[in-house]
Amino acid sequence: MLDTPQAVLDALRENDGRPHGLHRTVTAEELAEAAEAFDDPALLVTALLELMAAYEFTGEHRKSPVVFARLLKLHETTPGAFSEWEDHQVDWRFKWVTTSLLQVPDMPLATVHGWVDRMRERYEDAGHGLQPVAAMRYHVARHTGTGIPDAYDLWATRTRTRLSDCEACETRHHALHQVFAGDDAGALDTWRPVLDGSVSCSDEPQMSQAHALLPLLRLGRTDEARSHHLTGYRQVRGRTGMQEEVGLHLEFCALSRNSARGVEILAENRPLFEATGAPLARLGFLTGTEVLLALLVEEGHADTPVGGPPGRNRTAGELLAEVREEAGRLAAAFDTRNGTTAVGDARRLRLDRRPLLDEPLPLGLRTALTGPAAVPAPAPVAAPAREIPGEFTELVREARRMAALGHPGDTPLWDRVAELAEAEGYAHDTLLGTWTRLRAELAEQRAHALYAEDRDRAARTAMEEAAELYEAAGMAWHALVARARALSWDVVITDGEGAEEAGENSGAARSARPELWDALDAFQREAEQLLEKRIAAHDETGADPGPLPATGPAEGSATAEKYLTVLHCQVFAAYHVALAGAPEIPAPDRERFDALRATLESEAGRLGVPHQRGAARMFAGDVAARLGDHAVAETELRAALKEIEASGRPWRGTRVRALLAQVLLCLGKPEEAAELLHQALAEAVRYEDTLFPMAPTYLLLGHAGTHTGDVTGAVRHFSEAATRFDREGEPNDAADARLQLADLLARTGRQADAVAVLESVVGDESAAALDERLLAQARLTLARGLRGLDEHLTAAEEFLRLADTVAGWEDGAQTLTLVAAEAATSLALAGRWEAARTAYDRAFAAHADAPNPPMLLETACEFARLTMDAHGAEAAEEALRRLADADALYAAVPVDDEDFVHWFARGSIHYRRARVLAQADRFAEALPEAEAAVAAFADGGTDGEERRAEAVRIAALVESHGLGRTQAAVARLDEAAARCERAGLSEAAQILTAVREDLAAGAAD
């Protein structure tokens, strides 16, 4: 009830603690109306100042000057109603009025100038410096485009005063002046203290972060641009007072080729379309929206659903038309008011900008889009190395030539062959051999594609079809290779199937299938016979039949390549069986693998096929790496690379390099690993290896970067990996990459960036498709990150969501204890004490089922601290009850529990109880607790010395200030400082010495 002045004042104080937004603004309006009912000018002044602030920070610039006019009238009639602070606010808010009037195009420019003149008069009368007045004249000049150089000089050359804008905001305006002058680099230098957090205010750095995005992109400083987008957007999203800045983030998404991200931002900010109180800021928002939508439409996505004004759904094309019409009308209105074209020119300049990057800038964010094909596909890593032949016969022959070489670039050629051969009206040309042969080749390519997609059964079926077709075409070698390959793939497919029936592990089940090995051995014998016939034919004629022709072999021909491929299939099958039993590979499986691999290596050497010798060495290196023998793995893989380099087929080295890089990371050689990974990626692009695992390779590069200290590179690579996993339809791998990215960002002091990444993982309904445990880890990390940013209420909400999730797990009790405890602390930090106590009780209830004494002890002590900080001495008994909970937890831990740090827990409880009792002025009880803490921490040896020093400090303060025994306290501190010096804790010794000197000086006085 607002029936007394005190009730209104209390409500004003409560409203002042709310975040700016619609709720606070509406409440401020109601309270201003309620204040008018009383004959209390001072109350009305307070209410009007609160209302004006609400309008200012929610973008209601049409209303703000009206409230200020009422304040000025009150100041003239009843100046005594203004406190010193409120009197200062009247002078300060003259600046708000000027900027608010500029926001409204139907406010005459003469009125704006009149308010600036009135501001000057007031400042002169009060003896204030005129730098703020010069700043306002500059803002008017910048807006209208007239007299900018002179206005800037008058402002920039004057000394700042008490009424000048804060340093952070003035820095922004100085930097923007340089941006408008075309000096992006100078602007960013000017911006540095704001962008690095050295200076800040309620509006900064988020406003500067938005305005700096374009200069950063133009200078190629994309890593900084990514970071400022991640952190800055979190601070402006959904805020009606930050419409222009949201528009700048939309523009950034377009210019960095992140249209999908832009579409999501539009969806998150639909209410901004209804915010009309700041037309100039609205124009900025609409223009940024127009930049994004125009690019979408230009790239063929006019029918993409996008978020626009609430009420009905719109496509990109429809919303673009609406936005373009309103933004054009607004710009024209401002130019008419100003008598210049400055506003329209600025808008047209933004609309003319084109994307500044050739490829999307990896942001590290998951983008979940609604509707079909919402944005263009990301640009390829590089342009294809060759053009696909247009003539069909040439196309097939080139595909066959490259396939014979094992060149990965044959894939797009075969894709085009399949497209043309399966088209209606296709007529086969016998110059290419039989139609059956071409069908066999296409079936074989389809099998390889299916296998790369982990569709193993379908791949085997397609390969068996290829074998039958090759047989029908009279191509015995090709048929044999296809059968061998299909059978080797069968090993992968049957993983676990036989084991389920036999009750054994999958590796044992495979070993128990002799028919598999019998069949592969039969294929080997058949290959040997075919090879012997070829050699015999050579010996009889004395002429070399030559290699396999590009257009295909004659019936009965043989090659070393085909023979070795059959051996390769044997090794492949043995490799998978061996790894199924790792790390303890059964002896028969290991012996078979070693024997078959050795055969492949020796036969490849005999026949002069080095890339197959390389393959044999790669298999050996891979197995060694998986068994943890990284030294052997390195030797084998380096040897494999040498063989491949000697083969003249460098495209076969990409996977070997990636594997060797993993081994080198394990061996502590991240620099060389990174170099190999970069080479592998470059070669995959160069040789058009579309099946190369790009996303996992970028993930490895991220790890390499973390070990070499290249944090910027690591962030870029983790982001790229996540984006590629998204593109490949691997949401769990993408989420895991983002967790690793967030961990790196948090460890390197970029907690806000980490939180932005994690919010994209858990942020919408599509997150439900993720692995439950992975999503829970993401939510836990996010909650802790939010707490690190002092966003305690949001953190608590995440902890509570997670608690509800893990409560349903059969093995979730231990996790529930931890999560409920962290939720309780966050709720207390957010001032939600009733909910905090409920969460606290929930944590202890979970602890009864799954004990976690260290976590609960920390929570109980922290709860006691927060209780005293929030409620003061009157809450001492509640705080002491929390510490009694800690006592009970400690007492229940067995003395011989080696996993529990007894001295730390005991000392922490005594230390916190001493602080609580001292805050409650119960000094005689506090001192023994402090001394008990000193003794407990001393039991920790060197690990406890720093904590012991802190406990001594508290004991001395209690003894001196509370009990009046300053000399004893000084002696206590002398002894402790000397002990710290001996322990090498110079900082702790300095602190104790400083306290000792303060106490001694006080006693002398």
Side-chain angles (χ1 to χ4, degrees):
M1 292 291 290
L2 303 175
D3 52 358
T4 66
Q6 186 59 46
V8 174
L9 189 61
D10 290 342
L12 283 167
R13 287 172 178 156
E14 181 182 357
N15 201 42
D16 186 58
R18 294 189 176 102
H20 284 290
L22 182 61
H23 179 47
R24 177 168 174 172
T25 300
V26 171
T27 303
E29 290 175 333
E30 293 171 351
L31 293 175
E33 185 178 349
E36 287 190 272
F38 303 101
D39 185 18
D40 189 340
L43 178 64
L44 182 57
V45 167
T46 302
L48 290 174
L49 284 169
E50 164 63 19
L51 179 58
M52 188 179 182
Y55 286 153
E56 174 71 18
F57 291 105
T58 53
E60 291 289 352
H61 291 284
R62 292 182 182 273
K63 300 177 180 180
S64 183
V66 177
V67 179
F68 188 68
R70 294 182 63 190
L71 280 166
L72 281 182
K73 186 174 181 180
L74 279 169
H75 197 273
E76 292 170 359
T77 57
T78 54
F82 290 75
S83 67
E84 182 179 351
W85 179 84
E86 290 168 336
D87 192 67
H88 172 76
Q89 284 298 302
V90 171
D91 292 335
W92 181 271
R93 296 187 187 191
F94 260 101
K95 298 179 296 183
W96 291 9
V97 174
T98 302
T99 53
S100 291
L101 294 173
L102 281 177
Q103 284 276 343
V104 183
D106 49 355
M107 185 61 62
L109 199 59
T111 302
V112 180
H113 286 300
W115 272 99
V116 177
D117 291 340
R118 190 171 178 181
M119 176 183 174
R120 179 187 180 94
E121 291 170 5
R122 182 177 178 87
Y123 278 34
E124 286 178 335
D125 291 344
H128 300 316
L130 296 181
Q131 192 261 11
V133 178
M136 292 303 103
R137 295 201 187 283
Y138 168 73
H139 295 325
V140 175
R142 168 56 59 193
H143 173 69
T144 60
T146 56
I148 295 173
D150 290 342
Y152 181 76
D153 288 342
L154 285 173
W155 166 47
T157 56
R158 289 179 181 265
T159 304
R160 284 173 48 79
T161 74
R162 180 167 171 258
L163 288 167
S164 296
D165 281 347
C166 77
E167 184 180 354
C169 287
E170 285 214 334
T171 298
R172 178 180 74 251
H173 291 304
H174 284 298
L176 284 173
H177 182 78
Q178 292 172 281
V179 171
F180 295 140
D183 184 9
D184 287 341
L188 291 168
D189 284 342
T190 299
W191 250 320
R192 186 178 294 114
V194 176
L195 296 178
D196 68 14
S198 300
V199 296
S200 62
C201 68
S202 60
D203 288 334
E204 291 294 354
Q206 58 266 28
M207 291 184 76
S208 288
Q209 286 175 315
H211 286 281
L213 292 172
L214 179 59
L216 287 166
L217 277 184
R218 282 194 294 231
L219 292 176
R221 292 162 61 172
T222 53
D223 296 305
E224 294 169 76
R226 175 198 299 111
S227 177
H228 290 310
H229 170 65
L230 293 180
T231 58
Y233 174 67
R234 288 191 70 249
Q235 299 303 315
V236 303
R237 65 184 173 196
R239 292 177 58 182
T240 54
M242 292 283 178
Q243 283 180 286
E244 180 181 4
E245 285 66 34
V246 173
L248 290 169
H249 283 280
L250 289 168
E251 180 183 51
F252 164 80
C253 290
L255 300 184
S256 66
R257 295 192 182 276
N258 278 284
S259 299
R261 169 69 168 164
V263 172
E264 284 201 335
I265 290 176
L266 272 184
E268 289 177 339
N269 290 276
R270 294 186 72 177
L272 296 190
F273 284 99
E274 297 183 312
T276 59
L280 187 60
R282 179 175 179 81
L283 176 60
F285 168 66
L286 293 176
T287 303
T289 302
E290 189 175 350
V291 171
L292 173 71
L293 294 175
L295 183 63
L296 279 173
V297 171
E298 178 184 316
E299 294 180 342
H301 299 276
D303 295 331
T304 297
V306 294
R312 69 178 179 86
N313 296 326
R314 293 168 175 80
T315 65
E318 291 169 340
L319 184 58
L320 175 61
E322 292 181 31
V323 166
R324 180 169 286 162
E325 190 280 329
E326 183 183 354
R329 180 165 39 81
L330 271 176
F334 279 110
D335 284 345
T336 299
R337 190 270 303 269
N338 299 335
T340 67
T341 61
V343 173
D345 289 344
R347 175 173 176 268
R348 285 183 286 274
L349 180 64
R350 291 180 69 182
L351 295 176
D352 287 342
R353 288 175 182 144
R354 311 302 304 153
L356 296 170
L357 304 176
D358 294 331
E359 302 171 19
L361 173 64
L363 300 177
L365 302 173
R366 186 183 60 80
T367 302
L369 294 167
T370 57
V375 292
V381 173
R386 300 163 295 98
E387 289 188 7
I388 294 178
E391 199 277 318
F392 187 75
T393 302
E394 181 187 355
L395 173 65
V396 174
R397 286 174 174 165
E398 179 64 8
R400 286 172 175 171
R401 185 188 72 80
M402 296 185 76
L405 295 172
H407 194 299
D410 72 332
T411 300
L413 302 185
W414 284 118
D415 289 344
R416 180 60 176 159
V417 170
E419 181 184 350
L420 294 173
E422 294 166 6
E424 186 176 352
Y426 170 74
H428 186 69
D429 187 343
T430 56
L431 288 175
L432 295 172
T434 67
W435 169 233
T436 302
R437 176 193 174 179
L438 185 60
R439 288 172 55 210
E441 290 167 325
L442 293 175
E444 182 178 11
Q445 295 304 316
R446 185 169 65 254
H448 283 297
L450 290 167
Y451 186 78
E453 296 171 2
D454 294 326
R455 297 168 61 184
D456 302 323
R457 291 184 183 280
R460 182 186 63 182
T461 300
M463 190 60 75
E464 289 171 344
E465 177 189 348
E468 292 172 2
L469 288 167
Y470 278 129
E471 198 76 50
M475 300 172 67
W477 264 118
H478 288 70
L480 175 59
V481 168
R483 290 197 302 271
R485 183 164 279 130
L487 189 59
S488 71
W489 286 353
D490 190 60
V491 174
V492 180
I493 297 166
T494 56
D495 187 5
E497 291 178 0
E500 291 175 5
E501 297 175 6
E504 303 169 339
N505 67 54
S506 59
R510 289 172 180 167
S511 297
R513 296 177 59 228
E515 67 275 10
L516 173 81
W517 303 111
D518 290 345
L520 285 170
D521 289 344
F523 290 153
Q524 179 186 356
R525 288 192 296 273
E526 184 179 347
E528 288 171 347
Q529 292 169 3
L530 287 172
L531 183 63
E532 287 170 2
K533 289 180 181 179
R534 176 67 179 267
I535 294 172
H538 177 279
D539 292 341
E540 288 176 4
T541 64
D544 186 353
L548 181 68
T551 56
E555 184 177 353
S557 70
T559 64
E561 284 276 10
K562 291 287 187 287
Y563 166 67
L564 293 171
T565 301
V566 173
L567 300 187
H568 187 115
C569 290
Q570 285 185 300
V571 180
F572 178 85
Y575 160 82
H576 277 283
V577 169
L579 290 185
E584 300 296 331
I585 301 176
D589 294 342
R590 182 61 192 256
E591 290 168 5
R592 180 185 297 108
F593 168 75
D594 288 340
L596 290 172
R597 191 208 64 77
T599 298
L600 174 61
E601 183 179 356
S602 64
E603 286 293 273
R606 179 175 71 87
L607 296 170
V609 184
H611 73 263
Q612 285 287 13
R613 278 176 58 87
R617 302 296 294 266
M618 184 184 75
F619 276 122
D622 193 352
V623 170
R626 291 171 187 264
L627 296 179
D629 194 344
H630 297 113
V632 170
E634 181 184 7
T635 299
E636 292 291 342
L637 293 171
R638 290 191 186 280
L641 274 179
K642 286 184 179 179
E643 295 286 356
I644 289 169
E645 288 167 0
S647 73
R649 301 182 183 188
W651 49 84
R652 294 185 177 273
T654 54
R655 286 162 176 76
V656 182
R657 283 188 171 85
L659 183 56
L660 177 57
Q662 293 182 61
V663 171
L664 293 174
L665 281 173
C666 295
L667 290 171
K669 302 176 181 179
E671 292 86 358
E672 188 178 357
E675 182 179 350
L676 283 168
L677 291 168
H678 281 298
Q679 288 178 19
L681 288 168
E683 289 180 356
V685 173
R686 177 182 178 186
Y687 299 118
E688 302 168 83
D689 189 349
T690 58
L691 302 182
F692 181 76
M694 303 289 279
T697 304
Y698 275 107
L699 197 66
L700 282 173
L701 261 177
H703 289 296
T706 62
H707 291 296
T708 61
D710 180 14
V711 174
T712 298
V715 168
R716 189 184 308 121
H717 299 317
F718 281 133
S719 300
E720 181 70 28
T723 300
R724 288 178 177 274
F725 280 129
D726 283 336
R727 203 179 306 162
E728 295 165 8
E730 300 291 347
N732 287 317
D733 288 332
D736 183 61
R738 291 189 171 97
L739 273 171
Q740 295 182 57
L741 170 60
D743 177 67
L744 172 63
L745 291 168
R747 284 189 287 108
T748 53
R750 294 162 61 179
Q751 187 65 265
D753 293 39
V755 164
V757 170
L758 292 166
E759 284 178 333
S760 79
V761 175
V762 308
D764 57 40
E765 62 276 3
S766 60
L770 295 176
D771 175 81
E772 188 177 44
R773 304 288 170 138
L774 182 63
L775 180 58
Q777 182 60 55
R779 202 174 291 285
L780 176 63
T781 309
L782 170 60
R784 288 172 171 169
L786 289 165
R787 188 174 59 198
L789 295 177
D790 294 332
E791 298 181 28
H792 299 299
L793 184 57
T794 311
E797 291 169 353
E798 291 295 339
F799 280 127
L800 292 172
R801 288 191 190 97
L802 182 56
D804 291 340
T805 297
V806 301
W809 294 354
E810 290 185 6
D811 59 346
Q814 186 83 27
T815 306
L816 179 59
T817 304
L818 179 149
V819 173
E822 296 212 45
T825 302
S826 293
L827 285 164
L829 286 165
R832 302 299 177 91
W833 280 95
E834 184 176 348
R837 294 181 182 104
T838 299
Y840 180 93
D841 292 341
R842 185 181 189 183
F844 272 80
H847 170 78
D849 295 330
N852 189 342
M855 184 73 212
L856 268 292
L857 267 166
E858 180 183 347
T859 301
C861 290
E862 181 67 358
F863 232 70
R865 182 186 74 81
L866 294 173
T867 298
M868 295 300 292
D869 288 349
H871 306 297
E874 62 187 31
E877 290 305 321
E878 180 183 353
L880 291 171
R881 285 196 299 273
R882 303 305 179 193
L883 293 170
D885 293 339
D887 286 332
L889 288 165
Y890 179 74
V893 178
V895 176
D896 58 352
D897 186 344
E898 296 181 357
D899 294 329
F900 186 81
V901 186
H902 289 267
W903 65 265
F904 177 78
R906 189 170 68 253
S908 297
I909 297 170
H910 285 302
Y911 173 81
R912 183 51 55 195
R913 186 176 285 114
R915 296 290 300 260
V916 169
L917 290 167
Q919 285 176 272
D921 295 339
R922 293 162 61 174
F923 302 112
E925 299 169 76
L927 183 58
E929 289 293 330
E931 291 175 331
V934 172
F937 289 137
D939 290 343
T942 56
D943 291 339
E945 278 299 323
E946 204 161 348
R947 293 179 177 86
R948 180 187 183 280
E950 167 59 13
V952 169
R953 186 183 72 85
I954 294 301
L957 292 172
V958 168
E959 191 168 27
S960 175
H961 295 329
L963 301 176
R965 304 204 300 255
T966 301
Q967 292 303 319
V970 167
R972 186 191 297 272
L973 290 165
D974 282 336
E975 182 275 330
R979 178 170 174 149
C980 286
E981 289 288 0
R982 291 194 298 273
L985 300 174
S986 57
E987 185 176 353
Q990 290 172 8
I991 292 171
L992 293 175
T993 300
V995 175
R996 182 245 185 241
E997 291 173 354
D998 288 344
L999 295 184
D1005 291 342

